[in-house]
Amino acid sequence: MTAAVSLSPTPEVEDRSSSSSLRLSLAPIGPAPALLDGAWWPRARDLGAELPALTAVLDPLWGRITRVTVNPTHWPVVPRKVTVAGHVVNVGCFLAEQDPHELLLLSYHMGRWNLLVIPPRTDPVSAAWLMAAASDPLGTSTASRLMEEAARLRTVSESDRAVEAVWDSEGGHEVRGPVSPPVRPRIPLVTATLPYQPMGR
């Protein structure tokens, strides 16, 4: 089974697709446990509205999710309980102990999983890079470190585009002849779904 990664290029498309596939990517089983088990790209910073869809997908794969913890830094409201498909998921928050970009899910007697939480307004190219990086079974980066790396790559890409724009404005690409292929972005765009198998810690 695969987790669909749906990338929406515009706010209008985003609004129309809000009830479509969950934006989730899970790591396959690897030879060593990674720091992250995947990434989740919610559509809003509303745990009460977003958690039911996430846990409804994960319950059959990982066993019933009974508890979720977050760092409240990026969540305006943290409900104490969320009802999901007839059962209650308890929600806790830890300011100092938990990475602000991470969601921890616990399944009674089954294990725990850590997901990178991609901010809802992240551009699709960066989100795709983050989903792929967080789903790497050999990954050694924390959620915050991946967010920092994505920001750095985005800055480098924007700087390269600015330099190219100046070059173009000064006649740098007015050479006649065959057209050179476009410069590839530094952040790869992942459009395929990633296979995974459930694995707890």
Side-chain angles (χ1 to χ4, degrees), residues 118-200:
I118 301 171
R121 296 189 178 274
T122 301
D123 68 274
V125 173
S126 292
W129 183 88
L130 285 163
M131 286 218 171
S135 300
D136 182 351
L138 301 177
T140 58
S141 291
T142 64
S144 284
R145 189 169 298 160
L146 285 179
M147 292 299 296
E148 290 166 6
E149 181 65 10
R152 187 189 69 77
L153 291 171
R154 189 167 52 249
T155 300
V156 168
S157 180
E158 288 168 359
S159 176
D160 286 352
R161 284 196 299 272
V163 168
E164 188 173 324
V166 170
W167 174 257
D168 287 345
S169 71
E170 294 176 352
H173 284 161
E174 292 182 5
V175 179
R176 298 186 188 276
V179 177
S180 60
V183 176
R184 290 184 180 177
R186 291 183 184 269
I187 303 174
L189 176 62
V190 177
T191 55
T193 56
L194 299 172
Y196 68 89
Q197 296 177 2
M199 179 180 84

Side-chain angles (χ1 to χ4, degrees), residues 8-158:
S8 302
T10 65
E12 292 79 15
V13 174
E14 181 71 31
D15 290 341
R16 286 195 303 271
S17 66
S18 61
S19 62
S20 64
S21 63
L22 186 70
R23 301 185 301 184
L24 175 69
S25 177
L26 301 177
I29 293 176
L35 289 180
L36 294 168
D37 297 294
W40 175 45
W41 188 16
R43 289 179 163 78
R45 286 289 189 183
D46 181 348
L47 280 172
E50 296 288 332
L51 274 180
L54 176 66
T55 55
V57 167
L58 295 179
D59 276 358
L61 303 172
W62 290 349
R64 178 173 284 190
I65 303 300
T66 55
R67 184 168 175 79
V68 170
T69 67
V70 297
N71 181 315
T73 302
H74 299 297
W75 299 99
V77 177
V78 179
R80 300 185 74 168
K81 297 178 184 296
V82 175
T83 303
V84 179
H87 74 281
V88 174
V89 175
N90 295 304
V91 182
C93 55
F94 298 95
L95 188 58
E97 300 89 348
Q98 188 164 340
D99 188 312
H101 298 287
E102 190 174 273
L103 179 80
L104 172 66
L105 301 110
L106 297 158
S107 177
Y108 188 62
H109 289 313
M110 294 296 290
R112 59 172 266 190
W113 297 271
N114 296 41
L115 296 179
L116 164 69
V117 179
I118 301 171
R121 296 189 178 274
T122 301
D123 68 274
V125 173
S126 292
W129 183 88
L130 285 163
M131 286 218 171
S135 300
D136 182 351
L138 301 177
T140 58
S141 291
T142 64
S144 284
R145 189 169 298 160
L146 285 179
M147 292 299 296
E148 290 166 6
E149 181 65 10
R152 187 189 69 77
L153 291 171
R154 189 167 52 249
T155 300
V156 168
S157 180
E158 288 168 359

